[in-house]
Protein backbone atom coordinates (compact mmCIF):
# COMPACT_ATOMS: atom_id res chain seq x y z
CA UNK A 1 0.00 0.00 0.00
CA UNK A 2 1.33 3.43 -0.91
CA UNK A 3 2.41 5.83 1.79
CA UNK A 4 -0.01 8.37 3.27
CA UNK A 5 1.45 11.88 2.92
CA UNK A 6 -1.44 13.98 4.24
CA UNK A 7 -4.31 12.93 6.48
CA UNK A 8 -7.08 14.41 8.55
CA UNK A 9 -8.47 12.77 11.65
CA UNK A 10 -11.97 13.74 12.80
CA UNK A 11 -11.77 17.38 11.72
CA UNK A 12 -14.54 19.55 13.14
CA UNK A 13 -14.85 23.28 12.41
CA UNK A 14 -17.56 25.23 14.20
CA UNK A 15 -18.49 28.84 13.65
CA UNK A 16 -20.87 29.64 16.49
CA UNK A 17 -23.77 27.26 16.05
CA UNK A 18 -22.75 26.25 12.53
CA UNK A 19 -20.67 23.11 11.95
CA UNK A 20 -18.76 23.68 8.68
CA UNK A 21 -16.84 20.40 8.77
CA UNK A 22 -18.16 17.49 10.77
CA UNK A 23 -15.76 14.70 11.76
CA UNK A 24 -13.91 14.62 8.41
CA UNK A 25 -11.23 11.96 8.10
CA UNK A 26 -9.42 11.37 4.81
CA UNK A 27 -6.03 10.30 3.46
CA UNK A 28 -3.93 11.51 0.55
CA UNK A 29 -1.46 8.92 -0.75
CA UNK A 30 1.96 9.58 -2.24
CA UNK A 31 1.60 10.51 -5.91
CA UNK A 32 -2.20 10.67 -5.63
CA UNK A 33 -4.52 12.47 -8.00
CA UNK A 34 -7.32 12.99 -5.50
CA UNK A 35 -10.37 15.22 -6.07
CA UNK A 36 -12.46 16.85 -3.36
CA UNK A 37 -15.94 17.58 -4.67
CA UNK A 38 -19.34 18.59 -3.37
CA UNK A 39 -22.08 21.15 -3.93
CA UNK A 40 -21.71 24.79 -2.91
CA UNK A 41 -21.64 25.08 0.86
CA UNK A 42 -20.35 21.52 1.29
CA UNK A 43 -17.39 22.65 3.39
CA UNK A 44 -14.62 22.20 0.79
CA UNK A 45 -13.05 25.63 1.30
CA UNK A 46 -13.30 25.33 5.08
CA UNK A 47 -11.53 21.97 4.93
CA UNK A 48 -8.76 23.34 2.70
CA UNK A 49 -8.35 26.35 5.01
CA UNK A 50 -7.80 23.93 7.88
CA UNK A 51 -5.26 21.93 5.87
CA UNK A 52 -3.29 25.08 5.04
CA UNK A 53 -3.47 26.64 8.50
CA UNK A 54 -5.78 29.54 7.69
CA UNK A 55 -8.23 28.00 10.17
CA UNK A 56 -7.46 25.98 13.29
CA UNK A 57 -9.88 23.06 13.73
CA UNK A 58 -12.26 23.09 16.66
CA UNK A 59 -11.55 19.38 17.02
CA UNK A 60 -9.39 16.78 15.28
CA UNK A 61 -5.88 16.81 13.86
CA UNK A 62 -3.93 17.00 10.60
CA UNK A 63 -0.75 15.12 9.79
CA UNK A 64 1.77 15.75 7.00
CA UNK A 65 4.36 13.04 6.35
CA UNK A 66 3.42 11.58 9.74
CA UNK A 67 3.97 14.87 11.59
CA UNK A 68 1.13 16.62 13.43
CA UNK A 69 0.72 20.05 11.80
CA UNK A 70 -2.71 20.93 13.25
CA UNK A 71 -1.44 24.13 14.87
CA UNK A 72 1.49 24.86 12.59
CA UNK A 73 1.65 28.31 10.97
CA UNK A 74 0.75 28.44 7.23
CA UNK A 75 4.25 29.46 6.08
CA UNK A 76 5.78 26.58 8.03
CA UNK A 77 3.44 24.17 6.26
CA UNK A 78 4.66 25.53 2.93
CA UNK A 79 8.26 25.00 4.07
CA UNK A 80 7.35 21.38 4.84
CA UNK A 81 5.92 20.92 1.35
CA UNK A 82 2.18 21.66 1.65
CA UNK A 83 1.40 24.28 -1.00
CA UNK A 84 -1.90 25.72 -2.25
CA UNK A 85 -3.03 27.58 -5.33
CA UNK A 86 -5.95 29.90 -4.88
CA UNK A 87 -9.32 30.02 -6.59
CA UNK A 88 -8.92 33.78 -6.89
CA UNK A 89 -5.70 34.73 -8.61
CA UNK A 90 -3.16 36.45 -6.35
CA UNK A 91 -0.23 37.79 -8.35
CA UNK A 92 1.95 40.90 -8.57
CA UNK A 93 0.44 42.74 -11.54
CA UNK A 94 3.44 44.97 -12.22
CA UNK A 95 5.95 42.09 -12.36
CA UNK A 96 6.64 39.76 -15.28
CA UNK A 97 6.31 35.96 -15.04
CA UNK A 98 10.10 35.72 -15.22
CA UNK A 99 10.54 38.16 -12.32
CA UNK A 100 7.75 36.50 -10.33
CA UNK A 101 9.23 33.02 -10.64
CA UNK A 102 12.76 34.28 -9.95
CA UNK A 103 11.43 35.85 -6.74
CA UNK A 104 9.68 32.67 -5.61
CA UNK A 105 12.61 30.40 -6.51
CA UNK A 106 15.10 32.65 -4.73
CA UNK A 107 12.95 32.78 -1.61
CA UNK A 108 12.55 29.02 -1.64
CA UNK A 109 16.31 28.60 -1.97
CA UNK A 110 16.89 30.93 0.97
CA UNK A 111 18.12 33.87 -1.11
CA UNK A 112 15.01 36.00 -0.74
CA UNK A 113 16.89 39.18 0.03
CA UNK A 114 18.83 38.83 -3.23
CA UNK A 115 15.87 38.40 -5.58
CA UNK A 116 16.00 41.97 -6.89
CA UNK A 117 19.49 41.51 -8.34
CA UNK A 118 19.68 41.01 -12.11
CA UNK A 119 18.21 37.62 -12.94
CA UNK A 120 21.42 36.46 -14.55
CA UNK A 121 23.41 37.05 -11.36
CA UNK A 122 22.31 33.66 -10.05
CA UNK A 123 22.60 30.94 -12.64
CA UNK A 124 20.69 28.41 -10.56
CA UNK A 125 17.75 30.75 -10.02
CA UNK A 126 17.70 31.81 -13.67
CA UNK A 127 17.78 28.19 -14.87
CA UNK A 128 15.01 27.08 -12.54
CA UNK A 129 12.83 30.06 -13.50
CA UNK A 130 13.41 29.32 -17.20
CA UNK A 131 12.54 25.65 -16.66
CA UNK A 132 9.25 26.59 -14.98
CA UNK A 133 8.42 29.12 -17.71
CA UNK A 134 8.85 26.41 -20.34
CA UNK A 135 7.02 23.71 -18.36
CA UNK A 136 3.99 25.95 -17.89
CA UNK A 137 3.88 27.39 -21.41
CA UNK A 138 4.89 30.86 -20.25
CA UNK A 139 8.13 31.40 -22.18
CA UNK A 140 6.36 33.46 -24.85
CA UNK A 141 4.98 35.87 -22.23
CA UNK A 142 7.94 35.79 -19.83
CA UNK A 143 8.63 39.53 -20.24
CA UNK A 144 5.02 40.76 -20.16
CA UNK A 145 3.61 42.35 -17.04
CA UNK A 146 1.25 39.98 -15.29
CA UNK A 147 -1.62 42.47 -15.57
CA UNK A 148 -1.48 42.08 -19.37
CA UNK A 149 -1.60 38.27 -19.38
CA UNK A 150 -4.62 36.30 -20.60
CA UNK A 151 -6.50 34.79 -17.69
CA UNK A 152 -5.48 31.25 -18.58
CA UNK A 153 -1.82 32.29 -18.51
CA UNK A 154 -2.35 33.84 -15.08
CA UNK A 155 -3.66 30.53 -13.79
CA UNK A 156 -0.68 28.72 -15.33
CA UNK A 157 1.66 31.18 -13.61
CA UNK A 158 -0.07 30.57 -10.30
CA UNK A 159 0.50 26.81 -10.58
CA UNK A 160 4.11 27.45 -11.65
CA UNK A 161 4.58 29.53 -8.48
CA UNK A 162 3.27 26.63 -6.41
CA UNK A 163 5.64 24.18 -8.14
CA UNK A 164 8.54 26.58 -7.56
CA UNK A 165 8.03 25.88 -3.85
CA UNK A 166 8.80 22.20 -4.56
CA UNK A 167 5.69 20.82 -2.87
CA UNK A 168 5.20 17.30 -1.64
CA UNK A 169 1.48 18.00 -1.55
CA UNK A 170 -0.19 20.45 -3.94
CA UNK A 171 -3.70 21.71 -3.23
CA UNK A 172 -5.15 22.84 -6.57
CA UNK A 173 -8.01 25.20 -5.77
CA UNK A 174 -10.37 25.39 -8.77
CA UNK A 175 -7.62 25.86 -11.39
CA UNK A 176 -10.00 26.36 -14.34
CA UNK A 177 -12.44 28.70 -12.55
CA UNK A 178 -13.14 31.66 -14.82
CA UNK A 179 -10.82 30.47 -17.59
CA UNK A 180 -12.39 30.97 -21.05
CA UNK A 181 -13.01 27.84 -23.10
CA UNK A 182 -10.31 28.76 -25.62
CA UNK A 183 -7.62 28.86 -22.91
CA UNK A 184 -8.64 25.76 -20.98
CA UNK A 185 -6.92 23.04 -22.99
CA UNK A 186 -3.40 24.30 -22.31
CA UNK A 187 -4.18 24.50 -18.61
CA UNK A 188 -5.78 21.05 -18.50
CA UNK A 189 -2.75 19.52 -20.25
CA UNK A 190 -0.43 21.21 -17.76
CA UNK A 191 -2.40 19.95 -14.78
CA UNK A 192 -2.34 16.43 -16.25
CA UNK A 193 1.44 16.64 -16.64
CA UNK A 194 2.22 17.66 -13.05
CA UNK A 195 5.17 15.70 -11.59
CA UNK A 196 4.20 12.16 -10.59
CA UNK A 197 5.94 12.44 -7.22
CA UNK A 198 3.77 15.40 -6.18
CA UNK A 199 0.57 14.34 -4.44
CA UNK A 200 -2.31 16.49 -5.69
CA UNK A 201 -5.61 17.29 -3.98
CA UNK A 202 -7.89 18.96 -6.54
CA UNK A 203 -10.83 21.11 -5.44
CA UNK A 204 -13.01 21.63 -8.49
CA UNK A 205 -16.60 22.11 -9.72
CA UNK A 206 -15.78 21.17 -13.31
CA UNK A 207 -16.61 17.49 -13.42
CA UNK A 208 -14.99 17.00 -16.83
CA UNK A 209 -11.67 17.96 -15.27
CA UNK A 210 -12.35 15.97 -12.10
CA UNK A 211 -13.13 12.73 -13.90
CA UNK A 212 -10.25 13.06 -16.38
CA UNK A 213 -7.72 13.86 -13.63
CA UNK A 214 -8.60 12.03 -10.42
CA UNK A 215 -7.84 8.44 -9.49
CA UNK A 216 -9.69 8.86 -6.21
CA UNK A 217 -12.50 11.16 -5.11
CA UNK A 218 -13.94 12.38 -1.82
CA UNK A 219 -17.46 13.82 -1.73
CA UNK A 220 -18.38 16.34 0.96
CA UNK A 221 -21.98 17.34 1.70
CA UNK A 222 -23.01 19.72 4.49
CA UNK A 223 -19.56 19.44 6.02
CA UNK A 224 -19.74 15.66 6.23
CA UNK A 225 -17.87 13.06 4.18
CA UNK A 226 -20.60 11.46 2.08
CA UNK A 227 -18.48 8.86 0.31
CA UNK A 228 -15.07 8.16 -1.16
CA UNK A 229 -13.83 5.95 -3.97
CA UNK A 230 -12.49 5.70 -7.51
CA UNK A 231 -14.15 7.81 -10.25
CA UNK A 232 -16.31 4.97 -11.61
CA UNK A 233 -17.66 4.17 -8.16
CA UNK A 234 -18.44 7.83 -7.48
CA UNK A 235 -20.10 8.34 -10.89
CA UNK A 236 -22.48 5.48 -10.23
CA UNK A 237 -23.15 6.13 -6.56
CA UNK A 238 -26.89 6.82 -6.00
CA UNK A 239 -26.13 9.14 -3.07
CA UNK A 240 -23.82 11.27 -5.24
CA UNK A 241 -26.39 11.43 -8.06
CA UNK A 242 -29.01 12.60 -5.58
CA UNK A 243 -26.75 15.29 -4.18
CA UNK A 244 -25.99 16.77 -7.59
CA UNK A 245 -29.11 16.39 -9.67
CA UNK A 246 -31.53 13.94 -8.20
CA UNK A 247 -30.95 11.83 -11.34
CA UNK A 248 -28.31 11.10 -13.97
CA UNK A 249 -24.61 10.63 -13.31
CA UNK A 250 -22.17 12.79 -11.41
CA UNK A 251 -20.49 13.76 -14.67
CA UNK A 252 -23.75 15.33 -15.81
CA UNK A 253 -23.52 17.66 -12.85
CA UNK A 254 -20.49 19.36 -14.39
CA UNK A 255 -21.98 22.80 -14.69
CA UNK A 256 -24.70 22.73 -12.07
Amino acid sequence: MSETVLSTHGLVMRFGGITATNNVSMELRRGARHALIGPNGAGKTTLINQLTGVLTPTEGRITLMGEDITRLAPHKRVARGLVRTFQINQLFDSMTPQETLALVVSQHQGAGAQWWKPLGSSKAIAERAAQLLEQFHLSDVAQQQVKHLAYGKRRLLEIAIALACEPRVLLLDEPVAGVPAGEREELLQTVAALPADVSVLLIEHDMDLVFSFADRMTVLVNGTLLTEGDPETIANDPKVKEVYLGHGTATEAAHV
Side-chain angles (χ1 to χ4, degrees):
M1 184 172 288
S2 59
E3 178 187 355
T4 298
V5 292
L6 178 68
S7 59
T8 69
H9 311 268
L11 285 193
V12 175
M13 190 74 229
R14 297 191 187 96
F15 300 101
I18 298 172
T19 302
T21 55
N22 183 19
N23 194 33
V24 175
S25 297
M26 61 179 289
E27 293 186 347
L28 189 70
R29 300 287 185 173
R30 180 179 299 279
R33 297 294 183 259
H34 196 133
L36 177 65
I37 67 171
N40 289 332
K44 301 186 298 296
T45 299
T46 301
L47 178 59
I48 296 305
N49 283 339
Q50 291 173 83
L51 292 176
T52 54
V54 175
L55 294 172
T56 301
T58 309
E59 298 174 19
R61 61 191 178 92
I62 303 162
T63 59
L64 176 67
M65 312 300 293
E67 177 187 4
D68 191 324
I69 62 166
T70 311
R71 301 191 179 280
L72 199 66
H75 70 279
K76 292 185 177 180
R77 300 184 196 211
V78 173
R80 283 167 170 75
L82 178 61
V83 181
R84 173 191 190 177
T85 65
F86 285 87
Q87 179 181 354
I88 299 180
N89 208 270
Q90 300 181 339
L91 300 168
F92 296 107
D93 277 353
S94 62
M95 294 175 68
T96 67
Q98 186 177 44
E99 291 168 340
T100 301
L101 290 171
L103 167 59
V104 177
V105 170
S106 63
Q107 287 182 327
H108 183 71
Q109 294 182 358
Q114 314 297 319
W115 75 269
W116 47 267
K117 289 185 175 181
L119 193 59
S121 65
S122 170
K123 185 178 179 182
I125 290 173
E127 287 180 349
R128 178 59 176 149
Q131 180 185 31
L132 287 163
L133 288 166
E134 182 175 353
Q135 180 180 352
F136 289 91
H137 309 286
L138 293 165
S139 298
D140 58 332
V141 295
Q143 306 300 329
Q144 290 185 26
Q145 286 186 318
V146 168
K147 64 185 175 184
H148 297 309
L149 296 183
Y151 194 70
K153 292 290 189 183
R154 291 173 67 99
R155 300 314 298 255
L156 285 167
L157 177 57
E158 187 179 298
I159 301 173
I161 290 169
L163 260 290
C165 298
E166 298 182 13
R168 293 176 173 179
V169 176
L170 176 62
L171 307 179
L172 273 181
D173 196 348
E174 301 203 24
V176 298
V179 177
E183 300 174 34
R184 286 165 58 92
E185 188 58 34
E186 191 173 52
L187 201 148
L188 293 175
Q189 290 175 359
T190 303
V191 169
L194 287 170
D197 60 337
V198 176
S199 306
V200 181
L201 181 60
L202 171 73
I203 305 92
E204 185 55 68
H205 285 291
D206 186 317
M207 291 298 146
D208 291 336
L209 171 56
V210 166
F211 278 89
S212 67
F213 177 80
D215 53 33
R216 189 159 185 83
M217 300 167 67
T218 296
V219 185
L220 276 187
V221 178
N222 296 327
T224 302
L225 198 156
L226 178 70
T227 189
E228 193 171 271
D230 60 63
E232 183 178 0
T233 300
I234 296 299
N236 293 294
D237 190 308
K239 294 179 293 184
V240 176
K241 295 178 187 179
E242 183 180 354
V243 162
Y244 276 103
L245 279 181
H247 60 81
T249 65
T251 52
E252 290 172 336
H255 305 294
V256 172

